[in-house]
Amino acid sequence: MSAIIIDGKQVAAGIREQLKHEVAGFVAETGIQPGLATVLVGGDPASEVYVANKRRSATAAGLADLHVHLDGAASSDEIAQTIRELGENPAVSGILLQLPLPGGMDSGPLIDLIEPFKDVDGLTTTSAGLLARGKPGLRPCTPSGVVALLDSAEVPLEGAEVTIIGRSELVGAPLAQLLIQRNATVTVAHSRTRDLASVTRRSDIVIAAAGVPRLIGEAHVRPGAAVIDVGIHRTPQGLVGDVDFESVSRVAGWITPVPGGVGPMTIAMLLRNTLLAARLQHG
Ligand code: NAD
C-alpha cells in the first residue's frame, strides 16, 4: 500500500488565494485594510525566517504588514509596552509575538497582554478558554491547519479514533479540543505514555507533535490510517519531521510530508485569523 500524500503547500495556496478575494471584499466594504503586526525580539535566525515568511504571505494576501523588530536586549516591560500600543492601534487587526523570546524570557504573561480579539495566534488564556468552552474565538494556527488538512483530504473525523502525540499548549492540547468538537474520539499521548505504539496502532488518525525526529515508524501505524506530521527538525540531510516518511508512507492511507505539509497551513491559518480578527473589530 502506498499512502495518499496530503499536499499542504497546495491546500494552503488554495486557502490563501481564497483569502485574497475575501480581504479585497472586506476592504471594498469597509474601507479598512486589515493589518498584521508581527513582533520579533532579537535576531534568532530561524525566527527571522519564520517572521519574514509570515510578512511576505500577509502582504500577498492584501493585509498591511505592520512589523515591529525589538532589540534582543529589550526588557519584558518594553515588549509589554509594544504589545499594549499595538492593542490600542486601530490599524492593527492582529498581533503575533514570535516565539521563543530570547534568553528564555517567560512569554506567557506577555502573550496574555494581547487583546483577545487581536490574538491571531490564539494563544492567550482567554482564547484557550473560549476554545475549551466551544465558544467563538481565534483558534491556534497549527492545530487549525491540521484539521483543515484532514478536511481537505476528506478524512472522516466524526467517530474516528485519533491519537495526538504531544500535549503542548501550542499544538497538542488545543488540537485535542478542536477534534473533540468535531466528534472524534481523542487520545493524547505524551512523554510519560507507556508503549506508544500500542496506543497509536489502534488509531484511525495519528498526529505526531512530539518534537522528536522520526519518532513514528511503520510499527506505530495501523494499515490505512491517516498520519499527520507536525514536527519540524533541521538536520544535515534537510528538514525532517516526527514521522519516518519513507517507511510510514508504505502502510498509511494518507500522510503529510515535511516540508510541505502542516508548515504552510500554519501561515494560511494565521492570515485567515487576521481577517477574522478585522471582522470582529469592524463588524
Ligand atoms: P513541545 O516540546 O512544547 O511539546 C512536545 C510534546 O511532545 C510534549 O507534550 C511531550 O510530552 C511530548 N513528547 C515528547 N517526547 C515524546 C515521546 N518520546 N513520546 C511521546 N510524547 C512525547 O513541542 P511543540 O511546541 O508542541 O512542537 C512539537 C513539534 O512541532 C516540534 O517539532 C515543533 O518544531 C513542531 N511545530 C511545527 C509547527 C508547524 O507549523 N509545522 C508549529 C509548531 C510546532
Side-chain angles (χ1 to χ4, degrees), residues 142 165-168 170-171 190-191 209-212 230-233 263 266:
T142 302
I165 307 155
R167 57 179 164 182
S168 72
L170 185 64
V171 186
H190 45 76
S191 52
V212 180
V230 181
I232 309 177
H233 312 278
T266 297

Side-chain angles (χ1 to χ4, degrees), residues 50 141-143 164-173 188-193 196 208-213 215-216 229-233 240-242 258 261-267:
Y50 288 140
C141 300
T142 302
I164 301 167
I165 307 155
R167 57 179 164 182
S168 72
E169 283 179 15
L170 185 64
V171 186
V188 179
H190 45 76
S191 52
R192 308 283 174 88
T193 296
L196 182 63
V212 180
L215 173 70
I216 302 304
D229 192 352
V230 181
I232 309 177
H233 312 278
V240 301
D242 284 3
V258 175
V262 173
M265 294 299 289
T266 297
I267 295 192

